[in-house]
Structure formats: C-alpha cells, structure tokens
Amino acid sequence: MLHAGAFDDPSRQFAIKAIYRGRMHPFVFIEGISPMHRFLGLCAAFLMLCVAPRLHAEEQPKLAVTVGLRHVAKDLWRVDYRFAQAVTALKLRSIGEFRQQEWKVLTPGMSMTSGSGFDVIASKGQPFKAASVEIKTFDGWEPKEYVSFNRFGDGGRTVYLGHLQGDIEQGTKTLSMRADFKLSGLGQENVIAPPPNRLQPDAERGYAYFGPAQAVPAGAVKVLIDQRTPQWLRETILDVGAKTSAYYEKAYQRGLKDQLLILISVDNFESSGFSIKGGAIMGAGQVSYRLEGKQVLLDHPLLREGVARNVAHEMAHIWQLAVAQGGIGGQGPWIHEGGAEAMAIDALLQTGMWSEESAKAYRAKQAATCEKLGGAVDSYDGIYACGLVRFDALGVGIVPLWRSMMLATEVKGDAYSQRMIDTIVSAK
Ligand SMILES: [Zn+2]
C-alpha cells in the first residue's frame, strides 16, 4: 500500500513505488503492491507488512521433505530436495519469472514446466525421491509476493525460503510439504536461519541470511543492517521500532513471544524515487525491508513520517501475533490491516512521534479513499483505508479493543474475526 504526503514544492517531485507482498491461502494476497504511483510534490510511499495469515487449511496430508540450501558461489545456490517417500511431482506456486529465469534442474531426466500459476518439477511421470536445482540470485520481484532475494552492500544475501516450498504430488494425491531446511554457507560466512514458525509450523519460512555480518542486539530485538543504509533511515527505523515496541508492550500488556530480527538492505540508488518493500513476516520473527531509489539518500521530515508510520504498522502486526495461539487468519484481512493502521496511529501519537495534525491528515486521506470505494473492504486499498475507518467508527478505544482481541484469540485459537470484534464491542 502506498502512502503519500503532499508537499508543495514542485521542484522536488518524486515517484514512489511500494510493494507489499504476502499471501494467504495459495492464491490470495494479503498485502499486494501498488505498482508505481506518481504524486505531485514530495511523496513518501511505504509498504506495510506482509503477513501470511494462518491457513485454516482443510488439512491436507503432509510429507516430510529435507530441503538443503547451499550457497555455492556469490550469486549461485544449490537446492537439494529429499522426499520421505517417492513422489511424482514437486508443485510450486509461480513467482513471476523467477524459476523460469533462474532455476536449472540438475537431476538427470527431470525437468520443470510452468503454467497455470505453477512451476512443476517432475520426471516424465516416473516416481522420484530426490531432486536438485541450481538457482541464481533473482533481482526481480512480483506484486503481492515477498522478494525472493535481497542483496547487502558487503556481499551478504537473504533468501526467502518460502519460495522453495510448495506442494507435492503422488499420482493424483496432493500433499503439503513439511520442510526441514538444512542451510550451508560459502566458506566462513555467517548463516542465520529463520526460527521455526511457532503458530504455524508448516507455513512458509522467512528469510535466511548468508554473509559476513552478524546480527546486532538493539534493545529487545536484533538487527542486521546494510552498511549502505543512510543514517536518517537507520535512525528512523530503529528509533521508531524501539519506541513503538516499548509502547505496545505496555499498552497491550504482553511482550514479544518470538525473537525478532530486523533486516534492512538498500540497493539501486540509481533508480528514481523512493521505494520500500518488505514488512513483517508472519511466524518468522522477522521484519525485512529493502530500500531503493535516489531519494533513499534524502532526509526529509515527510519521508521520516512515512517511514515511521510504516514501522509502527509492522510492529503492530508483530504484536497481533504475540499470542500463544490463534492470531491472524485467512479471512477479513481488513481486521489485521485496519487494526494495524489504527494501532500504529495511536502508538505514533502516544509516543509523540506524530503530531495530531499528521494523524488527522492521514485519517482524512484514508477516509477519502474509503469513501471512493463505497466503504468496501474487498479491494487492496479498501483493506487498509476502510479497515481503518471501520475501527475508528467502533467507538471503542483501539488499545482495550485489541487487548481483548489478543486474549480472545488465545482462548481456543480462533483467528481474529468480525464476530470477535462484535462480541467485545457489545460487551463494553
Ligand atoms: Zn499490514
């Protein structure tokens, strides 16, 4: 989702692109992307998070698969799949041209075919128990999808493990992959695996880091920041992250349930505008940002304000997920997105990082967007804009409401829902 702040100096126009990515059930997105938007004036666009909601999947049978990911040269990777039983196909949801461009099947007799939204690796219908592929670092990204790779200035890379996961076919049967990742780095490099997903063990994993850097403790979280990150961005992200965490912890009366790693990479200073892609990765205990464009180097109050809103929004999702069970579900994305918007504005105001005027202007802009959409939450913009409007219209403080929702989701593990909101609001 794109957020822009208007600025009345036309000499400083810039184009902003922002991406959100994420997924719900196989083909539905959560935070998609706004491809490329241009605004008059100084604009800042920020990506919110990508949360992969909990799949209340019709429990599909699962098959254990060992996935070895080895860094073999600077931008070359080898993936070895080992299946617990013989299978007839490995079926991965297509991520644009990623696999067609960068994947090479190494196992003799096997090949990959792409179409109908899937990349399928098979051996002419013959059963197999192993498959190996070679992958090159991919710089492309798809709207509504996580970025497959991020490059860091010191040669480090992060790899989105979820793009190595998918389904398995055994004849006419489809099974889910229960992936056990084995990561190995190049030479002496440091490898940081994402922690297991506590709420949803078989969901897509987050980013694995391979490179020379170490994650550095910063308050309650750890950070891994590209050395090229300009000071204003480093400061803004860390400061807002620390202040909103402290605020959410106190307001919602709960601490982080998972270790949190914040990954920041910057690239493509030569491209126009300012782009920030990434967000919170559900269950992975990670918030990943990739910043691109000339304006990344520009320190401007409106850009700081936009980045602050984005970070506060992502951290709100982290708190929505700081529950023993339940949390974000596959229905009604406006609940966690609109909820994160309202939680973020509250946190920014209460910590003094935003003025009343900033909050008022942002609410007015979102309300106008929502009105154009007729109040509906069935579109990408509607999820955010009308989601916020809906929470604002409840007449209940966002803090007591979400504190109650976090308690309610933990009772039986039911995901956040409209019904839960109605029950809480009617009891107030
Ligand atoms: Zn979000």
Side-chain angles (χ1 to χ4, degrees), residues 76-79 98-107 110-112 121 131-136:
L76 196 65
W77 312 80
R78 180 179 166 127
V79 179
F98 171 39
R99 297 195 193 90
Q100 279 157 276
Q101 270 182 30
E102 312 292 2
W103 285 42
K104 190 171 114 190
V105 178
L106 299 176
T107 311
M110 297 191 71
S111 60
M112 185 175 72
I121 294 175
S132 297
V133 292
E134 188 177 83
I135 301 176
K136 289 196 188 116

Side-chain angles (χ1 to χ4, degrees), residues 144-340:
K144 304 171 195 166
E145 297 291 349
Y146 286 97
V147 177
S148 303
F149 290 90
N150 291 298
R151 294 171 187 263
F152 288 69
D154 59 5
R157 304 282 183 264
T158 56
V159 185
Y160 183 64
L161 300 182
H163 288 174
L164 307 178
Q165 293 171 252
D167 286 340
I168 294 146
E169 289 184 348
Q170 272 185 326
T172 55
K173 256 194 328 188
T174 301
L175 305 107
S176 301
M177 185 186 285
R178 171 165 285 163
D180 178 19
F181 281 95
K182 307 280 184 210
L183 311 175
S184 57
L186 195 56
Q188 298 302 304
E189 77 185 352
N190 183 31
V191 178
I192 305 175
N197 188 327
R198 182 175 52 81
L199 293 173
Q200 214 185 317
D202 297 316
E204 287 189 2
R205 297 286 296 272
Y207 285 97
Y209 172 81
F210 296 80
Q214 302 285 335
V216 179
V221 307
K222 283 189 166 184
V223 295
L224 207 151
I225 302 182
D226 196 320
Q227 57 200 10
R228 298 171 297 183
T229 308
Q231 188 57 27
W232 77 270
L233 263 169
R234 183 185 295 248
E235 249 170 53
T236 306
I237 293 172
L238 295 182
D239 184 49
V240 178
K243 284 180 179 153
T244 54
S245 300
Y247 176 74
Y248 290 141
E249 183 163 352
K250 200 166 137 241
Y252 297 99
Q253 299 168 359
R254 55 179 68 227
L256 287 174
K257 281 265 189 306
D258 305 285
Q259 179 204 59
L260 183 63
L261 175 64
I262 298 176
L263 297 154
I264 303 169
S265 67
V266 295
D267 213 346
N268 294 325
F269 288 116
E270 63 284 2
S271 64
S272 66
F274 182 103
S275 138
I276 177 167
K277 318 184 211 324
I281 295 140
M282 170 158 159
Q286 296 176 332
V287 179
S288 172
Y289 293 104
R290 173 157 124 192
L291 301 136
E292 293 183 25
K294 285 191 185 82
Q295 279 84 21
V296 163
L297 299 170
L298 182 72
D299 183 1
H300 189 282
L302 283 178
L303 282 176
R304 282 191 181 234
E305 196 171 275
V307 171
R309 196 197 47 70
N310 180 252
V311 173
H313 176 108
E314 302 308 328
M315 296 307 289
H317 285 309
I318 298 290
W319 255 265
Q320 290 170 342
L321 296 167
V323 290
Q325 57 172 346
I328 294 171
Q331 294 151 17
W334 70 269
I335 295 169
H336 62 267
E337 295 305 346

Side-chain angles (χ1 to χ4, degrees), residues 31-52:
E31 318 227 32
I33 172 187
S34 311
M36 173 88 167
H37 292 236
R38 284 168 191 280
F39 294 90
L40 288 186
L42 179 59
C43 309
F46 299 94
L47 156 44
M48 310 198 185
L49 127 129
C50 317
V51 204

Side-chain angles (χ1 to χ4, degrees), residues 392-412:
D392 284 347
L394 290 174
V396 176
I398 196 71
V399 170
L401 173 61
W402 271 90
R403 206 191 285 151
S404 300
M405 286 176 69
M406 290 169 190
L407 292 171
T409 197
E410 285 181 321
V411 175
K412 282 190 285 179

